[in-house]
Amino acid sequence: MDPSGESGTAMITFVGTANPGFAPYAMEELRRRIRGTKVSGLAPGETFTFTTGEDDPHEAVKELLRDEPIFLRHMFPIETERQATDSLDSTANELQEYARTLADQVNGRKVAIQVRKEQNSPFPYTSAEGRDCIIPVIQDLGGETVARDADWIISIYATKKLLYMGCSAPRDNLSDWPGGAVRFRKDEGLISRAAFKLLEAERVFNIPLDKFSNALDLGAAPGGWTSVLLERGLKVTAVDTAEMDPSLERHPMLRHMRSNTADVSFPPGSFDLLVCDMSWDPYRTCRLVSNLAPALTAGGSGIITLKLMYRKPFQSIQDLMEDYSEFFDIRKVKQLFHNREEVTMWVKRK
Ligand SMILES: C[S@@+](CC[C@H](N)C(=O)[O-])C[C@H]1O[C@@H](n2cnc3c(N)ncnc32)[C@H](O)[C@@H]1O
């Protein structure tokens, strides 16, 4: 990923991915962050290419990793691009030829291969078949192919016209999942899909939930987040005007307060974790959460979804961050794969 230019600062072009409909915001964010970056849409609303622009490419990447963009979910550097075709043989040849250029990188290392294609791409293989084309080459080169915990990720992305290929370290991709699409095993007993949001936040923000002991869950019904917290061994106070799933009602570690969040109060320092997924106006939610901030111990964490119900998401997020920062240190704001019209914020009580 180091195409050398005259001054050693040749641009790198990446494939970027955002949640469906949010690519325009991811592109806008990159335009604001990287001087002179050029962005160009691929799959509408979801994937696009962007360049490191006028900035030193390595500095630009470092800066993106240091302070992760909110809407860019995944990126990988394009090292090679080829015409996409529907020919099985020539596609396999292109994939294998590219893989052979990685001899120095992959020898003795663990390598994941992630293949994605757009719906209208002629690329003739499924993701698994595309991987199968590359695996023998990696093994020949002395690499071990793995699904997770790789040293390198080979990314293939096929559009209607082109086949983009690149190899990078997992953390340089922002996510080690293909396109940043974090998948959890579907649990039969799952109370709500919302549970995935909390599981993803735990992983992406690297905040193991089991290190907390006493949680306040605002807007908790039907109880997806609550059930995750209970499974991790926490005591949970769940606040919601709606009913919790019957499977939770008798849980010995759960107290359900069937109330509006505006009407509850707690002694100072009652909780070391506050989570909030209330479906309400984000500014009013911020006021309610801020009123309850003293109930959280100093340094306690908060995981809060910010609903993007207004037309200008950047402005809303910025205003909300400002409002929340009266009582909280904002650690990270990120649109997670499982977020829909919202982003997730991790804060710590000041
Ligand atoms: C998206 S659902 C929460 C899903 C939950 N995190 C889960 O995992 O099952 C939003 C919830 O916020 C609750 N809610 C909205 N406004 C509220 C308020 N002012 N006080 C308490 N609950 C509220 C709604 O009743 C609804 O159950």
Side-chain angles (χ1 to χ4, degrees):
M1 112 169 205
D2 188 11
S4 55
E6 283 167 38
S7 57
T9 57
M11 277 191 303
I12 304 174
T13 303
F14 294 85
V15 172
T17 305
N19 281 2
F22 284 89
Y25 300 114
M27 292 194 258
E28 176 57 24
E29 216 176 3
L30 289 163
R31 268 192 228 104
R32 293 178 189 194
R33 295 269 303 262
I34 305 176
R35 253 179 330 134
T37 187
K38 292 211 166 41
V39 296
S40 174
L42 295 173
E46 213 169 338
T47 50
F48 54 93
T49 59
F50 68 96
T51 66
T52 46
E54 294 155 30
D55 292 345
D56 175 287
H58 300 290
E59 282 308 314
V61 172
K62 235 196 255 170
E63 168 40 34
L64 285 184
L65 298 176
R66 192 187 57 74
D67 180 15
E68 273 190 33
I70 297 171
F71 292 103
L72 180 66
R73 204 173 72 198
H74 183 270
M75 60 196 242
F76 79 84
I78 301 169
E79 291 179 321
T80 300
E81 55 182 68
R82 295 279 180 264
Q83 293 300 314
T85 85
D86 61 2
S87 156
L88 292 166
D89 286 347
S90 73
T91 302
N93 280 340
E94 298 289 12
L95 295 175
Q96 292 172 350
E97 200 175 290
Y98 171 65
R100 269 187 223 106
T101 65
L102 303 171
D104 292 345
Q105 266 157 292
V106 305
N107 185 17
R109 311 305 290 273
K110 289 192 271 182
V111 182
I113 302 160
Q114 301 183 348
V115 181
R116 293 184 292 150
K117 66 171 177 179
E118 290 176 4
Q119 262 175 359
N120 61 2
S121 172
F123 187 79
Y125 296 116
T126 62
S127 301
E129 289 165 349
R131 245 188 340 259
D132 288 345
C133 292
I134 299 175
I135 286 174
V137 178
I138 299 304
Q139 289 172 344
D140 267 2
L141 297 173
E144 179 195 352
T145 51
V146 295
R148 309 227 58 79
D149 299 323
D151 300 308
W152 295 107
I153 297 179
I154 297 176
S155 301
I156 310 293
Y157 186 74
T159 68
K160 187 174 173 190
K161 291 197 180 126
L162 292 172
L163 197 53
Y164 295 107
M165 300 183 262
C167 180
S168 40
R171 79 171 293 276
D172 291 347
N173 288 10
L174 296 175
S175 166
D176 65 350
W177 292 80
V182 184
R183 305 280 178 193
F184 295 103
R185 209 166 42 83
K186 284 218 172 58
D187 185 341
E188 293 283 309
L190 199 73
I191 289 169
S192 76
R193 285 188 52 79
F196 291 139
K197 285 193 275 187
L198 187 60
L199 290 170
E200 189 181 350
E202 175 182 39
R203 191 179 290 198
V204 169
F205 299 149
N206 192 18
I207 30 177
L209 295 170
D210 56 10
K211 74 175 189 185
F212 302 102
S213 51
N214 222 329
L216 175 61
D217 185 353
L218 302 172
W225 288 28
T226 290
S227 66
V228 169
L229 297 170
L230 291 169
E231 272 165 31
R232 295 284 200 280
L234 279 73
K235 261 166 87 177
V236 181
T237 300
V239 180
D240 203 302
T241 45
E243 275 183 45
M244 298 293 274
D245 188 89
S247 66
L248 293 175
E249 280 296 359
R250 281 175 214 283
H251 197 291
M253 302 282 270
L254 172 64
R255 170 168 61 143
H256 175 205
M257 299 171 74
R258 200 158 170 197
S259 314
N260 189 312
T261 297
D263 301 328
V264 297
S265 64
F266 305 96
S270 299
F271 307 100
D272 56 358
L273 176 68
L274 180 157
V275 297
C276 174
D277 187 28
M278 251 163 57
S279 49
W280 208 32
D281 177 278
Y283 296 97
R284 290 170 192 233
T285 300
C286 174
R287 243 171 281 145
L288 297 187
V289 172
S290 298
N291 288 343
L292 290 173
L296 191 61
T297 49
S301 274
I303 300 170
I304 301 161
T305 51
L306 308 180
K307 309 294 172 182
L308 301 177
M309 47 173 66
Y310 295 106
R311 270 194 326 121
K312 295 184 173 164
F314 284 119
Q315 195 58 48
S316 300
I317 293 170
Q318 202 181 329
D319 292 346
L320 287 164
M321 283 169 71
E322 215 173 294
D323 291 353
Y324 273 103
S325 60
E326 189 179 346
F327 295 99
F328 300 98
D329 280 327
I330 317 276
R331 306 307 287 249
K332 243 177 186 178
V333 181
K334 188 90 201 160
Q335 186 166 53
L336 305 176
F337 174 63
H338 290 95
N339 284 143
R340 293 292 168 250
E341 302 292 310
E342 61 190 9
V343 295
T344 301
M345 180 170 73
W346 170 34
V347 297
K348 282 198 165 197
R349 170 90 168 94
K350 279 184 177 169

